[in-house]
Amino acid sequence: MKVSIFTMWVLVFGLSLDCSGADSNSSVSVHLSKELKMEGTVFTPCLEGMKNVKSEQGEMLTKPFLDLCKTILPVIDKFGAAMTLVKADIGGNISRLEKNYLSDPDKYKYLYTFVQGEIESKTAKGSSSCTNGLLWLTRAMDFLVELFRNLVAHQDWSMSQACGESYQKTLKKWHGWLASSTFSMALKLAPDRKKFMDVISGSGDIYADMERFCTEFGPFLQENHKFLASVGMDDMKAS
């Protein structure tokens, strides 16, 4: 699923209006300040979930992969308004794939079965296809992995700079002008880096967990791209 242009504008401008009457950090600060210290870091559930994504034969399993992606949603929540579009896109694509998986769990036990079936029925390129959903889910995760890599590698960067650089390197080339402009505008609502890092750290080593997340989750995404490219489905752009 790609978030529609109309939805993008509603989300971004709605959020901008909500924040316009507040001081420079108020809406994000309130969001962050209400969080309680957690055990481990916000990445702890993600790191646990990665252990079950593949079968003993090394095949990507549908439910564990989707469950893993779900564990990243609370991480996105900590960004507040800046990641509303990303969360909507990820959540929508997870729901689409999960709905199809639940229609026949045995048939769709393995993640790429969706794509193989749609290739055979010549429906893979449809905007509502599972192939399209897997592709855009993977791309959104590419963006997050690159963002967390930037936060680890460039600890002097502001959150806006880290978000902007990550977007340029991952999603931007797949977006049209309007989608790109709207997305870039949303990222300007990124929270203060220090406050954000304090919230997601919990009682663990946040930079170590963040780096481990990128190192371990990145190969799953690369495998998705490799498979999609093998069937000619890795280069579709936003309509």
Side-chain angles (χ1 to χ4, degrees), residues 203-214:
S203 61
D205 185 337
I206 185 57
Y207 283 110
D209 278 7
M210 198 178 282
E211 185 170 18
R212 183 182 160 199
F213 169 78
C214 295

Side-chain angles (χ1 to χ4, degrees), residues 5-222:
I5 298 300
F6 174 75
T7 302
M8 283 184 168
W9 281 92
V10 169
L11 288 170
V12 173
F13 284 110
L15 290 166
S16 296
L17 288 171
D18 287 342
C19 296
S20 63
D23 61 46
S24 59
N25 290 313
S26 63
S27 63
V28 174
S29 296
V30 169
H31 174 80
L32 296 178
S33 65
K34 290 181 179 179
E35 302 289 344
L36 298 175
K37 268 308 192 196
M38 69 194 84
E39 289 296 321
T41 73
V42 74
F43 287 98
T44 299
C46 307
L47 297 175
E48 285 296 315
M50 285 189 225
K51 300 174 182 177
N52 307 310
V53 170
K54 288 192 171 184
S55 69
E56 291 182 359
Q57 293 73 38
E59 296 175 280
M60 296 279 278
L61 296 168
T62 301
K63 188 176 187 304
F65 178 76
L66 296 179
D67 286 346
L68 172 59
C69 291
K70 287 180 185 177
T71 68
I72 300 171
L73 294 177
V75 183
I76 301 173
D77 277 337
K78 304 300 185 290
F79 284 91
M83 292 293 175
T84 301
L85 298 176
V86 177
K87 184 179 179 183
D89 199 35
I90 289 174
N93 286 318
I94 290 173
S95 295
R96 179 190 305 184
L97 293 166
E98 190 169 53
K99 179 180 179 181
N100 280 272
Y101 165 76
L102 291 173
S103 71
D104 194 335
D106 290 332
K107 178 179 179 180
Y108 296 119
K109 178 179 179 180
Y110 299 108
L111 186 62
Y112 303 146
T113 309
F114 295 123
V115 180
Q116 292 162 339
E118 290 177 344
I119 292 290
E120 292 176 5
S121 63
K122 302 187 186 303
T123 58
K125 291 187 177 181
S127 61
S128 61
S129 70
C130 286
T131 302
N132 190 284
L134 178 60
L135 174 61
W136 283 97
L137 175 59
T138 301
R139 287 174 176 173
M141 294 300 177
D142 286 337
F143 165 71
L144 293 175
V145 167
E146 187 62 26
L147 171 56
F148 296 132
R149 281 196 184 117
N150 279 336
L151 290 175
V152 172
H154 304 284
Q155 296 184 25
D156 58 327
W157 282 11
S158 68
M159 185 64 76
S160 293
Q161 183 177 4
C163 288
E165 289 289 329
S166 303
Y167 178 67
Q168 290 286 333
K169 192 171 180 179
T170 57
L171 288 172
K172 183 176 173 60
K173 63 184 174 182
W174 305 114
H175 284 168
W177 176 84
L178 187 54
S180 180
S181 298
T182 307
F183 203 97
S184 296
M185 184 180 297
L187 294 181
K188 291 181 179 179
L189 300 172
D192 174 77
R193 175 174 178 143
K194 184 179 184 306
K195 290 187 174 75
F196 173 80
M197 297 303 293
D198 286 345
V199 166
I200 67 172
S201 294
S203 61
D205 185 337
I206 185 57
Y207 283 110
D209 278 7
M210 198 178 282
E211 185 170 18
R212 183 182 160 199
F213 169 78
C214 295
T215 300
E216 296 183 13
F217 189 55
F220 295 143
L221 304 179
Q222 292 167 15

